[in-house]
Amino acid sequence: MKKLLLYFFLFAFPAVSFGQASKNYKTLADSAFNRQEYYAAAYYYKHIADAATPSKKEAVNLYVTYKLAESYRLYKDYTDAAIWYAKANTPEGVKQYPQIPLWYGVSLQANGKYQEALEQLNLFAGSAADDKYLAIAKKEIASCGYAMKQMENPRAVDVSPLVFLNKDQGDYALSVNLGRYWFTSSRMVEKDKFYTNRIYSSAILDSTKALATNFNAFDKEGQFEYATPALDGTGNRMYLTRWYKKGGKTVSAIYLSKLVNSVWQQPERLNNTVNADGSNSKHPFVTPDGKRLFFSSDRPGGEGGDDIWESDLDDYGQPTTVSNLGSTVNTIYDEQSPCYDQANKALFFSSTGFTGMGGFDIYRSDGDFGHWSVPSNLGYPVNSSKDDLYYNLDPNNANKFYLSSARGSDCCLSLFTGQYQALYINGKVIDCGSGKGMAGARVLLKDPAIKRGILAAVTDTAGSYVFKVKEKLPSYQVEISQKGYFTKTVPAPIVRPGIDTLINPDICMQSYKVNVPITVDNIYFDFGNANLRPESFGTLDKLAGVMIDNPKIKIELASHTDGIGSDADNLKLSQKRAEACVAYLLLKGVKQGRITAKGYGKRMPIAPNKLPNGKDNPAGRQLNRRITFTVKSVG
C-alpha cells in the first residue's frame, strides 16, 4: 500500500519504558523508519531531540532533525514536518541532505503557504541534479501557481464538515444508499485497545447514531481491517477493502458481502481478475445497476503506482473482465478512490499525478469504455492543500456531493459535504447594425475542457437568454448563431462565491450576405509597401476568430488602393497587401483553402479620388484605401 495507508489505519506500537538508560532510541527510531512505521519513528526521534543536552545537540541535531521532519512528512503531519525542515534547512543541512528544500516546499504547500513553498521549490529546482526529484519540484511549482489562481477565483461551491458523523480519528469514504449513510471510521468502540477501521452506517434521519457493521465470524479474526463500502442500487451487495500486515507490509484486497435476511454475510474475496496475486487492490466503486466495478490497484500493466481499473460483473457480482483506464486517466503517480456517474458518463477520482492544490486532488474525466477526456481538476474549494479523496454523489440531489479531506487536520481524513450553488448566466444578443435585440438566435453554453455544449437556449423577442447551472466554471463559453450572421463565441464571466446572477454584456452579431464585401477597419501598412503595422494585429486577430467560429465559410480577402499612381503599380501593391493579411490569418490557424487573397488596386473605388473641381480629395482617397472580406460560400 502507498502512503495513503494512514487513512486506512492509525499506526499502533507498544508502550516503551523510557526510564531504562540503556534503551537505544536511535536504533528504535531507525528501525521503525525503515519499516515505514513513520508515526512510531517520529515518536522516537522526537524523544531524542527533546532529551538531548546542549552539549550533545550539535552532534545529533542535524541527523535527528532531518529524520524527524521526514517521518512527520511521510505520515502526512505537514505542520510539524515544516517546523523541523525549517530547522534542518541550513547550508550544512542542505549540503548533507540536498532534498531538504524540496520536501520543505512540499510541506509548506500542504499547509497552504504557497508563496513560501514556491521559494523553496524554485531554490531546489535551480540546483537539483537528480531528474526524478527535479520532475517532482517542477510539478509542485506548477501546482502552487494553479492553487494561488484558484484561491483568487474559487468555484461557486459550499463545502462543510459533517460534524454529526466525524469523530476525533479518521472518518472517510462516505456514500448514500437507500436512506442510509455508509462510511469508514477508525474510532474506538467497546473494548478496543487499538484504533481499528470498520464500516459504519447511519440512518440519514437519525444521523447522530452510527452503527458498526457486523460481519459475524469475519469480525472475530482480529488483525484484519476493512473499509470503503460500496453498495449497489439494491443495497444487498457491498464491496469493501480488507487488509492486514504481512512481513512488515500491508496486503489489501477487495471483498464482497451480501445481505441475507437483514444480516451481512462474511465477505468473500473477489477472484484474481480483480485481486491479482502479489498486488494490492482497494477502493471499490460499483455502479447502481451492479454491472461494473471500478477500483484502484498497483497490479502489473498499469502506468505506475496505483491506477484506476474497471471490471464487468456477472449476475453473482463476480468480476469477469479487467481493464486499465489508460494513460489519459492514470499517471506514474497514484490514482485512487474512483466514483462513476453512470447517467452523465463522468468519472471522478483522486490523483497526485496532475496539477492540483496539493496532495491528492479530485478530478473529473468524461467518457466510457476506454475513451476518456483529459481529467479536469474540480478546483477550490472542492480541493484543498491537503489530501482530498472519495468524492461521491448524492443520489437524491444532483447539486450535492460528499468527499473525504484532511483539510484542517494534521493526521486524518474527515467527512465533508458539498453543495454547488444555483447560478444564472444570462445576457442579450443584438444586431451590430441596428443595435436592436435579436429574437430566435441559438445560444449554446459550452465547456471547452470537454469540447461539447452543455445547455442550449433560443433568445426571446428582446434578444435575451438565460441558463441555470449548478456551478460556473471559468472556462465556460457562450456560442451564438443565427442564419445570415457570423457565429460568435465569447467567454462567460468568472464567478465568485456569493454571486447568484451573472449578466453578460450585450453580444453584437454581425450580419453578412454572400458576395457582398464588408470593409475591415483599422488595418494599416507602411507607406508604399505591404508591411503590416503592429496596430493592425488586433483587428486581424478578431477576423481570425470569426473564421474559427465559422468553420464552413470561405472568404475572399481583398485590398484596394486610392487613385494615385499607375494601375499596374496599385494592382501589384494591393495584391501584396492582401497576401500579407492572409499570411497572418494562416499563422493564426485559419486553413489555407478557406481564404483567397485578391488585390484590386484602384479599380473599385467607393468614393471619388478627386473633387468636382479636379482637386485632390483626401477624404475620398482614405475611404478607397481599404481591406474588405467577402463571404463566397457558407458550406
Side-chain angles (χ1 to χ4, degrees):
M1 298 286 271
K2 303 296 179 183
K3 298 169 188 173
L4 186 60
L5 275 175
L6 175 65
Y7 302 135
F8 271 161
F9 65 96
L10 295 176
F11 294 108
F13 53 94
V16 177
S17 172
F18 292 108
Q20 301 175 16
S22 62
K23 203 69 172 178
N24 189 331
Y25 297 107
K26 182 176 179 298
T27 300
L28 289 172
D30 290 345
S31 178
F33 190 94
N34 293 334
R35 294 194 307 271
Q36 299 182 10
E37 295 177 357
Y38 301 116
Y39 185 87
Y43 190 92
Y44 294 131
Y45 285 129
K46 185 64 164 59
H47 177 85
I48 298 171
D50 289 344
T53 62
S55 62
K56 294 181 179 180
K57 277 186 181 290
E58 184 176 351
V60 301
N61 188 53
L62 182 54
Y63 176 84
V64 172
T65 299
Y66 176 68
K67 298 293 282 190
L68 181 54
E70 288 280 273
S71 299
Y72 280 133
R73 175 180 65 86
L74 290 169
Y75 83 82
K76 299 181 182 287
D77 181 353
Y78 294 107
T79 301
D80 284 326
I83 293 172
W84 289 92
Y85 278 125
K87 294 178 183 292
N89 194 29
T90 63
E92 179 61 29
V94 175
K95 181 179 180 181
Q96 189 166 342
Y97 304 106
Q99 295 168 22
I100 285 176
L102 171 62
W103 301 130
Y104 184 27
V106 169
S107 299
L108 290 168
Q109 177 189 17
N111 293 324
K113 299 179 179 180
Y114 295 112
Q115 191 59 54
E116 295 176 47
L118 275 175
E119 294 174 6
Q120 296 299 321
L121 293 168
N122 282 318
L123 179 66
F124 177 82
S127 59
D130 191 309
D131 289 343
K132 172 185 174 182
Y133 294 108
L134 178 60
I136 295 174
K138 289 181 177 179
K139 183 171 77 73
E140 300 308 331
I141 288 170
S143 290
C144 284
Y146 170 83
M148 288 190 288
K149 290 182 180 178
Q150 285 291 308
M151 299 291 283
E152 293 175 359
N153 297 291
R155 294 176 71 173
V157 186
D158 294 322
V159 178
S160 57
L162 288 169
V163 293
F164 51 84
L165 289 178
N166 288 319
K167 296 297 181 183
D168 292 337
Q169 303 302 328
D171 298 285
Y172 54 96
L174 183 142
S175 61
V176 174
N177 185 276
L178 300 180
R180 296 188 70 85
Y181 293 118
W182 295 86
F183 63 100
T184 306
S185 180
S186 59
R187 65 192 64 180
M188 285 190 178
V189 296
E190 298 174 353
K191 299 180 181 180
D192 283 352
K193 295 181 180 179
F194 303 103
Y195 293 106
T196 304
N197 286 270
R198 293 184 177 89
I199 292 172
Y200 290 79
S201 69
S202 170
I204 292 177
L205 295 178
D206 189 14
S207 53
T208 58
K209 296 179 181 179
L211 303 175
T213 303
N214 183 2
F215 290 125
N216 294 328
F218 192 34
D219 284 336
K220 300 176 184 178
E221 295 183 14
Q223 296 302 313
F224 296 91
E225 304 195 50
Y226 43 99
T228 64
L231 284 77
D232 67 5
T234 69
N236 294 320
R237 288 179 179 173
M238 181 196 300
Y239 294 85
L240 58 118
T241 307
R242 184 194 192 204
W243 71 94
Y244 59 92
K245 298 283 281 186
K246 182 179 181 179
K249 295 183 178 181
T250 301
V251 179
S252 67
I254 296 174
Y255 285 70
L256 170 62
S257 177
K258 297 180 180 179
L259 186 66
V260 178
N261 296 325
S262 300
V263 177
W264 287 105
Q265 303 303 297
Q266 183 171 353
E268 296 180 359
R269 190 180 189 273
L270 295 185
N271 58 38
N272 287 353
T273 302
V274 164
N275 295 312
D277 292 338
S279 302
N280 292 301
S281 295
K282 51 188 177 290
H283 303 172
F285 175 85
V286 61
T287 54
D289 61 11
K291 294 181 178 180
R292 295 175 72 187
L293 181 75
F294 292 82
F295 64 99
S296 176
S297 178
D298 61 2
R299 60 190 293 146
E303 300 299 322
D306 291 330
D307 276 11
I308 306 297
W309 301 72
E310 65 175 327
S311 287
D312 292 329
L313 301 176
D314 62 21
D315 293 341
Y316 301 97
Q318 291 294 325
T320 59
T321 64
V322 66
S323 60
N324 186 282
L325 267 57
S327 58
T328 301
V329 169
N330 293 310
T331 70
I332 61 173
Y333 297 93
D334 288 335
E335 283 70 47
Q336 299 183 348
S337 62
C339 167
Y340 188 62
D341 180 359
Q342 201 165 14
N344 295 301
K345 296 182 184 288
L347 173 74
F348 300 91
F349 65 99
S350 291
S351 175
T352 59
F354 301 96
T355 300
M357 298 287 295
F360 278 93
D361 270 23
I362 300 167
Y363 298 82
R364 170 176 173 159
S365 177
D366 292 82
D368 202 356
F369 293 110
H371 301 284
W372 302 97
S373 67
V374 175
S376 57
N377 191 298
L378 295 194
Y380 176 80
V382 178
N383 289 312
S384 69
S385 62
K386 298 286 184 69
D387 286 333
D388 301 286
L389 301 108
Y390 304 106
Y391 183 95
N392 221 313
L393 304 169
D394 189 300
N396 304 311
N397 186 339
N399 293 332
K400 190 175 183 179
F401 62 90
Y402 305 96
L403 64 89
S404 306
S405 177
R407 66 190 72 186
S409 171
D410 290 332
C411 71
C412 309
L413 292 171
S414 295
L415 300 171
F416 289 79
T417 183
Q419 185 80 27
Y420 292 105
Q421 297 179 14
L423 302 171
Y424 296 89
I425 301 175
N426 53 16
K428 187 176 181 179
V429 180
I430 63 173
D431 181 288
C432 290
S434 68
K436 295 181 180 180
M438 286 178 51
R442 184 174 184 268
V443 187
L444 187 65
L445 183 66
K446 301 173 66 177
D447 180 2
I450 57 177
K451 298 181 180 180
R452 63 178 174 85
I454 298 172
L455 295 170
V458 176
T459 56
D460 60 18
T461 55
S464 298
Y465 66 89
V466 61
F467 294 109
K468 181 180 179 181
V469 294
K470 72 176 183 179
E471 62 164 333
K472 169 66 179 63
L473 298 176
S475 60
Y476 276 171
Q477 294 178 335
V478 177
E479 178 188 280
I480 303 97
S481 58
Q482 174 74 296
K483 187 176 181 179
Y485 290 80
F486 292 112
T487 296
K488 179 177 285 189
T489 300
V490 298
I494 295 175
V495 70
R496 297 178 185 275
I499 300 176
D500 59 6
T501 300
L502 310 175
I503 301 177
N504 279 321
D506 291 347
I507 299 173
C508 165
M509 298 289 285
Q510 173 67 51
S511 63
Y512 70 89
K513 292 182 180 179
V514 176
N515 292 323
V516 176
I518 299 173
T519 298
V520 183
D521 296 324
N522 302 319
I523 294 182
Y524 306 100
F525 297 90
D526 290 339
F527 179 76
N529 62 43
N531 296 326
L532 276 167
R533 291 167 60 179
E535 53 264 43
S536 306
F537 298 160
T539 298
L540 287 170
D541 287 342
K542 292 178 181 178
L543 181 54
V546 170
M547 296 293 291
I548 292 170
D549 286 343
N550 297 265
K552 293 183 178 181
I553 66 170
K554 293 182 179 180
I555 72 167
E556 175 189 270
L557 194 145
S559 174
H560 303 265
T561 65
D562 59 24
I564 296 178
S566 70
D567 185 49
D569 287 345
N570 279 312
L571 278 174
K572 184 177 179 180
L573 178 61
S574 63
Q575 182 64 33
K576 288 183 177 180
R577 286 179 170 178
E579 290 173 354
C581 292
V582 170
Y584 184 91
L585 296 175
L586 295 179
L587 288 174
K588 291 297 180 176
V590 179
K591 293 183 178 179
Q592 190 166 14
R594 297 182 56 210
I595 185 168
T596 302
K598 181 68 175 178
Y600 287 95
K602 61 181 182 180
R603 296 179 178 180
M604 299 179 66
I606 58 173
N609 288 300
K610 293 184 178 181
L611 297 172
N613 61 9
K615 292 185 177 182
D616 183 43
N617 181 13
R621 287 193 297 106
Q622 183 175 351
L623 290 173
N624 290 330
R625 294 192 302 269
R626 69 195 187 280
I627 298 292
T628 63
F629 76 94
T630 304
V631 177
K632 307 301 289 186
S633 65
V634 294

